[in-house]
mmCIF file of all heavy atoms in Angstrom:
data_model
loop_
_atom_site.group_PDB
_atom_site.id
_atom_site.type_symbol
_atom_site.label_atom_id
_atom_site.label_comp_id
_atom_site.label_asym_id
_atom_site.label_seq_id
_atom_site.Cartn_x
_atom_site.Cartn_y
_atom_site.Cartn_z
ATOM 1 N N HIS A 1 0.859 -1.209 -0.004
ATOM 2 C CA HIS A 1 -0.033 -0.009 0.005
ATOM 3 C C HIS A 1 0.851 1.233 0.006
ATOM 4 O O HIS A 1 0.604 2.188 0.792
ATOM 5 C CB HIS A 1 -0.973 -0.013 1.229
ATOM 6 C CG HIS A 1 -1.999 -1.061 1.126
ATOM 7 N ND1 HIS A 1 -3.052 -1.100 1.958
ATOM 8 C CD2 HIS A 1 -2.094 -2.107 0.340
ATOM 9 C CE1 HIS A 1 -3.799 -2.114 1.677
ATOM 10 N NE2 HIS A 1 -3.217 -2.817 0.737
ATOM 11 N N ASP A 2 1.876 1.277 -0.820
ATOM 12 C CA ASP A 2 2.721 2.444 -0.967
ATOM 13 C C ASP A 2 2.053 3.406 -1.962
ATOM 14 O O ASP A 2 2.062 3.199 -3.145
ATOM 15 C CB ASP A 2 4.123 2.073 -1.456
ATOM 16 C CG ASP A 2 5.034 3.223 -1.595
ATOM 17 O OD1 ASP A 2 4.636 4.338 -1.179
ATOM 18 O OD2 ASP A 2 6.218 3.048 -2.050
ATOM 19 N N PHE A 3 1.383 4.466 -1.449
ATOM 20 C CA PHE A 3 0.579 5.349 -2.202
ATOM 21 C C PHE A 3 1.408 6.476 -2.817
ATOM 22 O O PHE A 3 0.835 7.317 -3.533
ATOM 23 C CB PHE A 3 -0.518 5.962 -1.418
ATOM 24 C CG PHE A 3 -1.493 4.915 -0.844
ATOM 25 C CD1 PHE A 3 -1.715 4.805 0.533
ATOM 26 C CD2 PHE A 3 -2.210 4.157 -1.777
ATOM 27 C CE1 PHE A 3 -2.630 3.915 0.933
ATOM 28 C CE2 PHE A 3 -3.147 3.236 -1.353
ATOM 29 C CZ PHE A 3 -3.326 3.132 0.038
ATOM 30 N N HIS A 4 2.730 6.573 -2.631
ATOM 31 C CA HIS A 4 3.422 7.725 -3.025
ATOM 32 C C HIS A 4 3.520 7.909 -4.514
ATOM 33 O O HIS A 4 3.751 9.002 -5.045
ATOM 34 C CB HIS A 4 4.850 7.727 -2.338
ATOM 35 C CG HIS A 4 4.799 7.911 -0.896
ATOM 36 N ND1 HIS A 4 4.432 9.063 -0.303
ATOM 37 C CD2 HIS A 4 5.027 7.009 0.074
ATOM 38 C CE1 HIS A 4 4.483 8.920 1.058
ATOM 39 N NE2 HIS A 4 4.806 7.654 1.333
ATOM 40 N N GLY A 5 3.359 6.806 -5.242
ATOM 41 C CA GLY A 5 3.345 6.941 -6.751
ATOM 42 C C GLY A 5 1.971 7.295 -7.276
ATOM 43 O O GLY A 5 1.832 7.546 -8.453
ATOM 44 N N VAL A 6 0.954 7.403 -6.391
ATOM 45 C CA VAL A 6 -0.336 7.713 -6.778
ATOM 46 C C VAL A 6 -0.549 9.155 -6.581
ATOM 47 O O VAL A 6 -0.530 9.704 -5.439
ATOM 48 C CB VAL A 6 -1.423 6.919 -6.004
ATOM 49 C CG1 VAL A 6 -2.818 7.260 -6.429
ATOM 50 C CG2 VAL A 6 -1.167 5.408 -6.172
ATOM 51 N N ILE A 7 -0.916 9.930 -7.651
ATOM 52 C CA ILE A 7 -1.126 11.360 -7.528
ATOM 53 C C ILE A 7 -2.514 11.661 -7.018
ATOM 54 O O ILE A 7 -2.673 12.464 -6.133
ATOM 55 C CB ILE A 7 -0.918 12.026 -8.939
ATOM 56 C CG1 ILE A 7 0.505 11.733 -9.442
ATOM 57 C CG2 ILE A 7 -1.215 13.480 -8.878
ATOM 58 C CD1 ILE A 7 0.759 12.286 -10.811
ATOM 59 N N ASN A 8 -3.553 10.991 -7.608
ATOM 60 C CA ASN A 8 -4.863 11.296 -7.196
ATOM 61 C C ASN A 8 -5.514 9.997 -6.726
ATOM 62 O O ASN A 8 -5.222 8.889 -7.135
ATOM 63 C CB ASN A 8 -5.716 11.780 -8.435
ATOM 64 C CG ASN A 8 -5.170 13.089 -8.962
ATOM 65 O OD1 ASN A 8 -5.011 14.004 -8.267
ATOM 66 N ND2 ASN A 8 -4.951 13.098 -10.223
ATOM 67 N N THR A 9 -6.471 10.142 -5.729
ATOM 68 C CA THR A 9 -7.176 8.993 -5.247
ATOM 69 C C THR A 9 -7.874 8.243 -6.349
ATOM 70 O O THR A 9 -7.931 6.976 -6.316
ATOM 71 C CB THR A 9 -8.191 9.476 -4.186
ATOM 72 O OG1 THR A 9 -7.556 10.172 -3.124
ATOM 73 C CG2 THR A 9 -8.989 8.251 -3.574
ATOM 74 N N GLU A 10 -8.369 8.933 -7.335
ATOM 75 C CA GLU A 10 -9.069 8.286 -8.423
ATOM 76 C C GLU A 10 -8.180 7.417 -9.288
ATOM 77 O O GLU A 10 -8.620 6.624 -10.088
ATOM 78 C CB GLU A 10 -9.691 9.365 -9.362
ATOM 79 C CG GLU A 10 -10.867 10.111 -8.641
ATOM 80 C CD GLU A 10 -10.420 11.069 -7.537
ATOM 81 O OE1 GLU A 10 -9.218 11.484 -7.633
ATOM 82 O OE2 GLU A 10 -11.126 11.411 -6.630
ATOM 83 N N ASP A 11 -6.778 7.592 -9.152
ATOM 84 C CA ASP A 11 -5.901 6.798 -9.940
ATOM 85 C C ASP A 11 -5.788 5.339 -9.455
ATOM 86 O O ASP A 11 -5.247 4.526 -10.102
ATOM 87 C CB ASP A 11 -4.488 7.421 -9.873
ATOM 88 C CG ASP A 11 -4.450 8.700 -10.604
ATOM 89 O OD1 ASP A 11 -5.290 8.972 -11.486
ATOM 90 O OD2 ASP A 11 -3.536 9.548 -10.250
ATOM 91 N N ILE A 12 -6.322 5.099 -8.281
ATOM 92 C CA ILE A 12 -6.345 3.716 -7.750
ATOM 93 C C ILE A 12 -7.350 2.873 -8.538
ATOM 94 O O ILE A 12 -8.542 3.160 -8.454
ATOM 95 C CB ILE A 12 -6.670 3.700 -6.241
ATOM 96 C CG1 ILE A 12 -5.564 4.471 -5.465
ATOM 97 C CG2 ILE A 12 -6.702 2.246 -5.704
ATOM 98 C CD1 ILE A 12 -5.922 4.602 -4.001
ATOM 99 N N VAL A 13 -6.887 1.921 -9.281
ATOM 100 C CA VAL A 13 -7.741 1.170 -10.167
ATOM 101 C C VAL A 13 -8.640 0.184 -9.405
ATOM 102 O O VAL A 13 -9.862 0.115 -9.599
ATOM 103 C CB VAL A 13 -6.908 0.352 -11.212
ATOM 104 C CG1 VAL A 13 -7.841 -0.490 -12.114
ATOM 105 C CG2 VAL A 13 -6.120 1.311 -12.035
ATOM 106 N N TYR A 14 -8.042 -0.572 -8.468
ATOM 107 C CA TYR A 14 -8.789 -1.500 -7.643
ATOM 108 C C TYR A 14 -8.778 -1.000 -6.182
ATOM 109 O O TYR A 14 -7.748 -0.959 -5.588
ATOM 110 C CB TYR A 14 -8.175 -2.903 -7.745
ATOM 111 C CG TYR A 14 -8.212 -3.500 -9.180
ATOM 112 C CD1 TYR A 14 -7.050 -3.578 -9.887
ATOM 113 C CD2 TYR A 14 -9.443 -3.926 -9.698
ATOM 114 C CE1 TYR A 14 -7.115 -4.095 -11.196
ATOM 115 C CE2 TYR A 14 -9.463 -4.440 -10.981
ATOM 116 C CZ TYR A 14 -8.282 -4.512 -11.730
ATOM 117 O OH TYR A 14 -8.304 -5.028 -13.023
ATOM 118 N N GLY A 15 -9.966 -0.563 -5.746
ATOM 119 C CA GLY A 15 -9.950 0.232 -4.499
ATOM 120 C C GLY A 15 -10.150 -0.548 -3.176
ATOM 121 O O GLY A 15 -9.986 0.080 -2.112
ATOM 122 N N TYR A 16 -10.379 -1.839 -3.248
ATOM 123 C CA TYR A 16 -10.638 -2.579 -1.996
ATOM 124 C C TYR A 16 -9.620 -3.649 -1.729
ATOM 125 O O TYR A 16 -9.484 -4.628 -2.543
ATOM 126 C CB TYR A 16 -12.066 -3.131 -2.010
ATOM 127 C CG TYR A 16 -13.135 -2.071 -2.101
ATOM 128 C CD1 TYR A 16 -13.645 -1.792 -3.354
ATOM 129 C CD2 TYR A 16 -13.603 -1.462 -0.941
ATOM 130 C CE1 TYR A 16 -14.655 -0.756 -3.431
ATOM 131 C CE2 TYR A 16 -14.567 -0.439 -1.050
ATOM 132 C CZ TYR A 16 -15.070 -0.123 -2.320
ATOM 133 O OH TYR A 16 -16.020 0.837 -2.383
ATOM 134 N N CYS A 17 -8.864 -3.513 -0.698
ATOM 135 C CA CYS A 17 -7.901 -4.556 -0.232
ATOM 136 C C CYS A 17 -8.762 -5.687 0.430
ATOM 137 O O CYS A 17 -9.386 -5.457 1.448
ATOM 138 C CB CYS A 17 -6.872 -3.978 0.741
ATOM 139 S SG CYS A 17 -5.789 -5.279 1.387
ATOM 140 N N THR A 18 -8.848 -6.836 -0.203
ATOM 141 C CA THR A 18 -9.761 -7.830 0.180
ATOM 142 C C THR A 18 -9.001 -9.135 0.573
ATOM 143 O O THR A 18 -8.139 -9.603 -0.138
ATOM 144 C CB THR A 18 -10.734 -8.207 -0.922
ATOM 145 O OG1 THR A 18 -11.377 -6.940 -1.356
ATOM 146 C CG2 THR A 18 -11.744 -9.237 -0.545
ATOM 147 N N GLU A 19 -9.367 -9.688 1.712
ATOM 148 C CA GLU A 19 -8.770 -10.959 2.194
ATOM 149 C C GLU A 19 -9.825 -11.920 2.615
ATOM 150 O O GLU A 19 -10.896 -11.470 3.227
ATOM 151 C CB GLU A 19 -7.817 -10.690 3.379
ATOM 152 C CG GLU A 19 -6.572 -9.818 2.984
ATOM 153 C CD GLU A 19 -5.616 -9.659 4.123
ATOM 154 O OE1 GLU A 19 -5.856 -10.290 5.196
ATOM 155 O OE2 GLU A 19 -4.627 -8.888 3.950
ATOM 156 N N MET A 20 -9.631 -13.195 2.401
ATOM 157 C CA MET A 20 -10.540 -14.185 2.940
ATOM 158 C C MET A 20 -9.787 -15.510 3.101
ATOM 159 O O MET A 20 -8.735 -15.803 2.581
ATOM 160 C CB MET A 20 -11.679 -14.449 1.921
ATOM 161 C CG MET A 20 -11.288 -15.122 0.685
ATOM 162 S SD MET A 20 -12.739 -15.496 -0.413
ATOM 163 C CE MET A 20 -11.894 -16.215 -1.850
ATOM 164 N N MET A 21 -10.340 -16.288 4.080
ATOM 165 C CA MET A 21 -9.884 -17.644 4.317
ATOM 166 C C MET A 21 -11.036 -18.588 4.125
ATOM 167 O O MET A 21 -12.176 -18.289 4.581
ATOM 168 C CB MET A 21 -9.333 -17.788 5.776
ATOM 169 C CG MET A 21 -8.002 -17.077 5.930
ATOM 170 S SD MET A 21 -7.376 -17.281 7.648
ATOM 171 C CE MET A 21 -7.077 -19.007 7.649
ATOM 172 N N VAL A 22 -10.839 -19.603 3.360
ATOM 173 C CA VAL A 22 -11.921 -20.623 3.002
ATOM 174 C C VAL A 22 -11.449 -21.984 3.570
ATOM 175 O O VAL A 22 -10.409 -22.454 3.210
ATOM 176 C CB VAL A 22 -12.139 -20.673 1.520
ATOM 177 C CG1 VAL A 22 -13.336 -21.672 1.283
ATOM 178 C CG2 VAL A 22 -12.502 -19.316 0.939
ATOM 179 N N ARG A 23 -12.367 -22.595 4.401
ATOM 180 C CA ARG A 23 -12.140 -23.940 4.792
ATOM 181 C C ARG A 23 -12.852 -24.872 3.860
ATOM 182 O O ARG A 23 -14.031 -24.822 3.692
ATOM 183 C CB ARG A 23 -12.648 -24.190 6.258
ATOM 184 C CG ARG A 23 -12.409 -25.604 6.757
ATOM 185 C CD ARG A 23 -13.062 -25.841 8.101
ATOM 186 N NE ARG A 23 -12.425 -25.072 9.154
ATOM 187 C CZ ARG A 23 -12.972 -24.162 9.889
ATOM 188 N NH1 ARG A 23 -14.255 -23.885 9.622
ATOM 189 N NH2 ARG A 23 -12.327 -23.512 10.833
ATOM 190 N N PHE A 24 -12.082 -25.746 3.204
ATOM 191 C CA PHE A 24 -12.686 -26.640 2.180
ATOM 192 C C PHE A 24 -13.736 -27.503 2.811
ATOM 193 O O PHE A 24 -13.628 -28.011 3.903
ATOM 194 C CB PHE A 24 -11.599 -27.519 1.557
ATOM 195 C CG PHE A 24 -10.489 -26.741 0.892
ATOM 196 C CD1 PHE A 24 -9.172 -27.093 1.083
ATOM 197 C CD2 PHE A 24 -10.743 -25.695 0.075
ATOM 198 C CE1 PHE A 24 -8.128 -26.405 0.532
ATOM 199 C CE2 PHE A 24 -9.763 -24.932 -0.482
ATOM 200 C CZ PHE A 24 -8.436 -25.226 -0.283
ATOM 201 N N GLY A 25 -14.858 -27.658 2.063
ATOM 202 C CA GLY A 25 -15.958 -28.440 2.540
ATOM 203 C C GLY A 25 -16.359 -29.607 1.700
ATOM 204 O O GLY A 25 -15.995 -29.597 0.479
ATOM 205 N N LYS A 26 -17.061 -30.518 2.287
ATOM 206 C CA LYS A 26 -17.535 -31.659 1.481
ATOM 207 C C LYS A 26 -18.622 -31.227 0.566
ATOM 208 O O LYS A 26 -19.348 -30.242 0.825
ATOM 209 C CB LYS A 26 -18.042 -32.769 2.437
ATOM 210 C CG LYS A 26 -16.969 -33.383 3.309
ATOM 211 C CD LYS A 26 -17.585 -34.418 4.280
ATOM 212 C CE LYS A 26 -16.439 -35.030 5.125
ATOM 213 N NZ LYS A 26 -17.039 -36.033 6.121
ATOM 214 N N ASN A 27 -18.785 -31.968 -0.539
ATOM 215 C CA ASN A 27 -19.838 -31.642 -1.535
ATOM 216 C C ASN A 27 -19.660 -30.271 -2.113
ATOM 217 O O ASN A 27 -20.658 -29.643 -2.514
ATOM 218 C CB ASN A 27 -21.230 -31.815 -0.896
ATOM 219 C CG ASN A 27 -21.485 -33.172 -0.329
ATOM 220 O OD1 ASN A 27 -21.068 -34.205 -0.881
ATOM 221 N ND2 ASN A 27 -22.114 -33.180 0.808
ATOM 222 N N LYS A 28 -18.457 -29.740 -2.053
ATOM 223 C CA LYS A 28 -18.116 -28.411 -2.626
ATOM 224 C C LYS A 28 -17.193 -28.646 -3.875
ATOM 225 O O LYS A 28 -16.684 -29.732 -4.106
ATOM 226 C CB LYS A 28 -17.454 -27.537 -1.674
ATOM 227 C CG LYS A 28 -18.406 -27.082 -0.535
ATOM 228 C CD LYS A 28 -19.378 -26.027 -1.023
ATOM 229 C CE LYS A 28 -20.217 -25.408 0.114
ATOM 230 N NZ LYS A 28 -21.069 -24.268 -0.386
ATOM 231 N N LYS A 29 -16.982 -27.598 -4.575
ATOM 232 C CA LYS A 29 -16.070 -27.608 -5.763
ATOM 233 C C LYS A 29 -14.677 -28.074 -5.348
ATOM 234 O O LYS A 29 -14.129 -27.619 -4.373
ATOM 235 C CB LYS A 29 -16.036 -26.236 -6.408
ATOM 236 C CG LYS A 29 -15.328 -26.175 -7.727
ATOM 237 C CD LYS A 29 -15.464 -24.787 -8.360
ATOM 238 C CE LYS A 29 -14.700 -24.760 -9.704
ATOM 239 N NZ LYS A 29 -14.884 -23.406 -10.344
#
């Protein structure tokens, strides 16, 4: 998240830092 190369907030193409953990389940893909 080094923003110093970003001049404007609107220059951020993908705006949401997203994390998830998934526990594999039976009868799932």
Side-chain angles (χ1 to χ4, degrees):
H1 294 191
D2 183 4
F3 295 122
H4 293 289
V6 179
I7 299 175
N8 299 307
T9 301
E10 292 71 24
D11 292 338
I12 300 175
V13 179
Y14 298 107
Y16 298 94
C17 177
T18 304
E19 295 182 6
M20 70 175 176
M21 290 179 67
V22 182
R23 181 186 292 118
F24 302 135
K26 295 179 181 179
N27 303 321
K28 290 287 187 175
K29 188 174 180 178

